[in-house]
Amino acid sequence: MTIAAPQPKANMGQPVPRYDAVPKVTGQAQYAADMPLANPAYAYLVTSAIAKGRIDGFDLSDARKVRGLIDIVTHENAEKLKEPKLFGNGGYMSTTIQPLASAEIAQDGQIIAVVLADTFEAAREAAHRVKVSYTAATPTASFDSPGTTSARAKGQLSQFKEDPKVGDFADAFARADVKLVASYETPTQHHNPMELFATSCVWSGGQLTIYEPSQYVHGLKNGVAEQLGIDADKVRVINPYVGGAFGSKGSVTPRTAIIAAIARKLNRPVKLVATRDQGFTIATYRAETRHVIQIGASHDGRLVALRHEGAEISSRADPYAVGGTKITTRLYACLNVDSMVSIVRADRNTPGFMRSPPEVPYLFALESAMDELAFKLDMDPIELRRVNDTMNEPIGNKPYTSRSLMACFDEGARAFGWSKRSMRPRTVTDGDWLVGHGCAATCYPTQMAPAAARVRLQRDGRARVEIAGHEIGNGAYTVIAQAAADRLGIPYEKVTVAIGDSDLPPAPVAGGSNSTASTCSAVEMVCGQVRQRLFKALMPNEGLVDKTKETVGMGQTPVTQAAQSGQPLDREKAFDALGISIVEEYGEWKPEGAPLDSFRAMHDGKMRMVGGSEMKDRIAYAFGAEFVEVRINRWTHEIRVPRLVGAFACGRIMNPRTARSQLMGGLIWGMSSALLEATEIDERTARYVNDNLADYLLPVNADAPGVEVILLPEQDDRIDPAGVKGLGELGNVGTNAAVCNAIFNATGQRIRKLPVRLENIEA
Ligand code: MOS
């Protein structure tokens, strides 16, 4: 065992190496843009230089002179596509702004032309020679710009279901011993996955094959078919590897159907690799948010009143919101709670989900406020959480399926050395450095969605698992292989996994941290079906219908009982009894509480995700506690984070190596979301300014020298058959608050607006 492969504790699988490790480090792994195509045309996008207005005309004469040019597609000659419907409103699309449909410009960087040429270089040169004349209108950039409109999220977006409230907030707040009112702000951020937004489309007969990095191949397949007005069976999406996504590749962006339509018209494969800066406007982003938190507490620290009001930016076209009050109103015990989320419209591209979409901004507000309250009460911030810990969420009084929040705080505190922290700010220095310690809670809902799988087991002990899951760096291949190996009683190395192909049995979006819980539940169920066939062969008499015979356990026959328990299987004997050499089973799994139309929706690429706070009789969350040490230079105000410690409990851990890796990446990103990452918007033009990896600050190794991940054992039998809680998005939540709480401890200065840069430190 190494640090990278932590020793498994109770209810944890082996830290086997990643299934895809060798192909990735040796460069064998083929990403979408690596797929070899026969004689492709290369596409290069031209995007709008204004955020609002209309195109008066194009001058293409210069562009047409480029040797190798094939075609230039603009709104004047583009194929008309079907009207798009937003992902969060029951459709497939990331935005309903449909480029190339008219001369109207609704956002900066809108696709306004696609240049096709025989080489990438020719397409790029011609694209740069396209001259566009516009009539520009004054755009609204963000919250403080003139011309925004604001309305409650509830009622505008079907995905946004509630403004949680309980009791009488106003009365309880008025009478509280101690009150806190504070406002918080988080910035625009872009996912910036390493792999660019690429799309290759190949038609063969009436069949379309799309090579595109996607977190949801069945969504992409159905969404593009709908836009093109063709049968979904005619579309196949292939992407065995996705080079980072973080939400940006979850819903269908307009580029795909545009490229598909052009490829059909040219009768030639078309390959697009959008540039880094185009990625800022042709896909989604994390919208900027604002929050007002009001907390009333008793002198002993118990919350008596909590109100969380949030506002999020969206486009004119779409009422998108992540809406995190469903989480923040349920984290701590409190009898009087109120909340509201508003959507503020500006002339922007439609935002979307980005790793821990609601949790990152909304827990920044709540977990900063909890730290502020602790200071007001002269209480240790961990003790404040302990006083308000609860096994039942306060809004509907539903029990958590399991909740190890305080165990995480205790373990994390021990590892971090929290007891040595000074409660008084600005009391610890080390030479020229002010030293501060801060902490915050993290939580993430456990979500699950229907999934199907096909499992083939051979007599010789080799197996193949087929499921249209997604390897986005999450370890999907690895944990699926482990789940199958465990259930089939064969070595991990004997399992082949096929994912990332919409011709495989459908799995949900690799989003909402639901992948492991959903795909492993489905794969384990289908492995059970395989075992059932084999046990039946071994127990031929038990398979006969015998009404007089008592069944075992929960109405199960002895065969089912054997198949579903851990009973070892004499595989070769069973195959010999069957007289065949391969057993193959297909099955469809859905989580408890999933609606009746779940399986049909699954095949249609629509999500029926259940879990989190939306279950009927319980609430499902993973928890953790994060600890940060900051050092701030007294003279330059440079901010360093020498130590990040996170302790997490997430049900059954399939693989401590991949789990640690996910959580470590999360902690680093969480720190980065506090100190580095922000997309700057030009207030006058509503355009993104730092749309490149030189100016958009990202952390490097030197920014995170010490990261420690502690995995706590936790068993949860009420959550899903696999006993798994999603952890992909748990790590980067609350870190931003912990950083600011540590900055307060170091300097006495409370920072409520992210990102914190050295010029914001006044100490
Ligand atoms: Mo993630 S933002 O759930 O793709």
Side-chain angles (χ1 to χ4, degrees):
M1 299 290 160
T2 65
I3 291 172
Q7 183 77 45
K9 299 172 194 157
N11 201 27
M12 295 184 192
Q14 290 301 312
V16 298
R18 273 179 194 264
Y19 181 97
D20 44 343
V22 171
K24 277 185 174 167
V25 299
T26 56
Q28 300 297 305
Q30 281 186 310
Y31 293 80
D34 300 328
M35 295 296 180
L37 305 175
N39 188 32
Y42 291 85
Y44 198 97
L45 303 177
V46 180
T47 56
S48 69
I50 63 166
K52 188 182 184 182
R54 53 180 294 117
I55 298 164
D56 293 327
F58 293 96
D59 176 357
L60 303 178
S61 51
D62 229 20
R64 290 224 165 90
K65 287 182 195 143
V66 174
R67 197 172 354 153
L69 183 86
I70 299 167
D71 198 3
I72 300 173
V73 178
T74 70
H75 70 274
E76 290 166 352
N77 58 350
E79 184 182 323
K80 292 288 166 269
L81 301 169
K82 296 278 183 315
E83 193 134 319
K85 196 168 177 208
L86 194 69
F87 183 80
N89 259 340
Y92 298 102
M93 304 298 296
S94 64
T95 176
T96 64
I97 300 169
Q98 180 59 48
L100 307 185
S102 76
E104 298 301 317
I105 302 291
Q107 59 157 99
D108 165 40
Q110 181 176 317
I111 298 169
I112 56 170
V114 184
V115 178
L116 290 310
D118 286 331
T119 64
F120 172 77
E121 291 74 15
R124 180 176 57 186
E125 180 172 359
H128 282 100
R129 291 181 183 210
V130 170
K131 295 188 189 75
V132 193
S133 46
Y134 303 98
T135 298
T138 307
T140 300
S142 186
F143 283 120
D144 295 325
S145 314
T148 56
T149 59
S150 176
R152 230 181 141 120
K154 198 179 162 199
Q156 290 188 75
L157 182 70
S158 64
Q159 176 192 280
F160 188 93
K161 296 200 177 78
E162 56 163 345
D163 278 323
K165 55 173 75 344
V166 70
D168 184 342
F169 166 79
D171 180 61
F173 185 70
R175 297 196 285 131
D177 296 340
V178 180
K179 292 176 201 177
L180 176 86
V181 180
S183 302
Y184 302 92
E185 255 181 78
T186 64
T188 317
Q189 294 176 337
H190 277 80
H191 314 76
N192 279 307
M194 221 192 297
E195 182 191 26
L196 295 166
F197 296 97
T199 298
S200 294
C201 289
V202 184
W203 290 87
S204 171
Q207 286 294 133
L208 169 65
T209 303
I210 302 170
Y211 301 101
E212 177 177 312
S214 167
Q215 291 168 263
Y216 192 17
V217 290
H218 274 83
L220 186 57
K221 158 188 154 134
N222 283 277
V224 170
E226 187 173 274
Q227 279 223 289
L228 293 172
I230 61 173
D231 196 301
D233 288 345
K234 300 250 180 289
V235 183
R236 180 177 182 190
V237 178
I238 298 177
N239 59 9
Y241 302 99
V242 178
F246 318 118
S248 67
K249 295 164 181 172
S251 43
V252 182
T253 66
R255 75 180 194 275
T256 315
I258 289 172
I259 296 299
I262 291 171
R264 184 167 57 183
K265 183 177 144 201
L266 294 182
N267 193 23
R268 185 170 169 183
V270 174
K271 176 173 178 171
L272 167 74
V273 182
T275 60
R276 178 62 62 187
D277 61 309
Q278 289 168 347
F280 278 69
T281 60
I282 67 164
T284 63
Y285 60 97
R286 193 196 289 286
E288 56 270 40
T289 67
R290 287 183 173 179
H291 308 259
V292 180
I293 299 261
Q294 293 168 271
I295 305 181
S298 60
H299 287 300
D300 63 2
R302 270 174 304 138
L303 304 191
V304 296
L306 168 69
R307 184 167 199 278
H308 191 165
E309 190 175 337
E312 306 177 25
I313 282 291
S314 191
S315 63
R316 294 279 183 212
D318 297 308
Y320 186 79
V322 295
T325 49
K326 60 180 181 282
I327 302 134
T328 53
T329 56
R330 289 183 168 91
L331 188 48
Y332 299 114
C334 185
L335 291 175
N336 303 287
V337 178
D338 191 22
S339 66
M340 189 176 89
V341 172
S342 303
I343 301 176
V344 178
R345 307 286 193 99
D347 298 304
R348 295 272 297 281
N349 51 326
T350 302
F353 32 93
M354 177 163 145
R355 198 176 188 183
S356 323
E359 291 79 11
V360 164
Y362 282 75
L363 259 77
F364 170 63
L366 180 68
E367 289 300 288
S368 294
M370 288 296 279
D371 199 73
E372 298 203 41
L373 179 66
F375 186 72
K376 254 186 183 218
L377 293 163
D378 198 26
M379 252 179 113
D380 183 287
I382 297 178
E383 290 316 302
L384 178 63
R385 268 93 174 180
R386 198 182 312 279
V387 165
N388 292 291
D389 192 30
T390 177
M391 292 310 287
N392 284 59
E393 56 88 15
I395 305 298
N397 201 36
K398 292 183 283 191
Y400 281 98
T401 58
S402 59
R403 171 165 159 136
S404 308
L405 177 65
M406 294 320 300
C408 290
F409 267 113
D410 291 340
E411 277 291 306
R414 233 189 318 276
F416 186 78
W418 183 257
S419 59
K420 294 195 226 51
R421 169 184 182 263
S422 164
M423 289 270 281
R424 273 198 312 125
R426 216 186 161 88
T427 47
V428 180
T429 56
D430 180 4
D432 283 338
W433 297 84
L434 309 179
V435 182
H437 293 168
C439 69
T442 171
C443 68
Y444 196 85
T446 297
Q447 307 187 100
M448 297 143 280
R454 191 178 294 116
V455 174
R456 181 194 301 165
L457 179 65
Q458 298 186 182
R459 187 185 181 280
D460 66 7
R462 284 182 293 158
R464 177 180 167 87
V465 181
E466 298 182 345
I467 180 166
H470 310 83
E471 179 59 59
I472 57 173
N474 47 356
Y477 278 113
T478 311
V479 297
I480 289 169
Q482 283 184 282
D486 277 5
R487 288 296 284 143
L488 298 172
I490 56 175
Y492 166 70
E493 294 74 19
K494 297 277 186 193
V495 183
T496 303
V497 178
I499 60 177
D501 181 343
S502 66
D503 271 5
L504 301 173
V509 66
S513 296
N514 89 91
S515 274
T516 302
S518 307
T519 59
C520 291
S521 291
V523 167
E524 291 185 0
M525 184 196 78
V526 180
C527 289
Q529 293 171 206
V530 170
R531 281 168 58 86
Q532 177 131 357
R533 290 253 315 262
L534 295 168
F535 272 110
K536 200 165 173 183
L538 287 174
M539 306 156 85
N541 299 326
E542 305 291 353
L544 300 173
V545 182
D546 181 356
K547 293 267 161 69
T548 62
K549 197 160 209 164
E550 269 202 47
T551 54
V552 182
M554 307 268 291
Q556 290 174 333
T557 66
V559 171
T560 326
Q561 175 82 358
Q564 291 182 1
S565 69
Q567 190 174 319
L569 168 73
D570 189 337
R571 189 186 60 249
E572 292 183 358
K573 197 170 154 207
F575 269 105
D576 291 343
L578 263 182
I580 55 176
S581 57
I582 288 178
V583 166
E584 187 172 284
E585 284 286 325
Y586 168 87
E588 301 187 341
W589 174 83
K590 77 179 167 72
E592 197 187 318
L596 280 175
D597 73 342
S598 285
F599 288 133
R600 197 185 53 202
M602 171 181 82
H603 288 280
D604 290 344
K606 300 224 163 151
M607 295 299 303
R608 296 289 182 266
M609 203 118 92
V610 300
S613 55
E614 280 156 32
M615 296 160 98
K616 217 178 273 149
D617 58 342
R618 58 197 136 151
I619 172 167
Y621 270 81
F623 292 93
E626 302 193 347
F627 295 81
V628 173
E629 177 174 317
V630 298
R631 287 174 171 244
I632 296 171
N633 188 284
R634 186 194 298 280
W635 309 110
T636 64
H637 297 175
E638 178 185 351
I639 309 165
R640 307 303 306 177
V641 179
R643 289 198 298 142
L644 289 163
V645 174
F648 307 95
C650 328
R652 172 179 166 203
I653 301 291
M654 295 298 296
N655 182 330
R657 181 199 301 264
T658 55
R660 171 185 174 272
S661 173
Q662 283 272 60
L663 292 163
M664 179 175 63
L667 280 165
I668 295 168
W669 195 350
M671 176 273 290
S672 163
S673 81
L675 296 177
L676 301 172
E677 290 188 50
T679 308
E680 307 290 346
I681 304 158
D682 186 325
E683 286 290 324
R684 300 157 303 176
T685 61
R687 304 192 71 194
Y688 299 131
V689 178
N690 53 338
D691 55 358
N692 58 75
L693 291 190
D695 296 322
Y696 185 94
L697 301 184
L698 292 168
V700 296
N701 284 348
D703 290 311
V707 186
E708 186 179 352
V709 172
I710 299 160
L711 298 168
L712 269 72
E714 185 185 66
Q715 176 124 15
D716 190 330
D717 299 322
R718 300 192 62 208
I719 204 141
D720 52 63
V724 162
K725 291 180 177 180
L727 55 77
E729 289 164 277
L730 185 62
N732 64 323
V733 178
T735 334
N736 46 14
V739 167
C740 289
N741 298 342
I743 290 174
F744 176 76
N745 187 244
T747 65
Q749 186 188 347
R750 181 62 66 176
I751 296 186
R752 302 187 179 90
K753 181 179 175 180
L754 297 181
V756 189
R757 299 264 168 79
L758 54 84
E759 63 268 28
N760 305 124
I761 304 281
E762 285 150 16

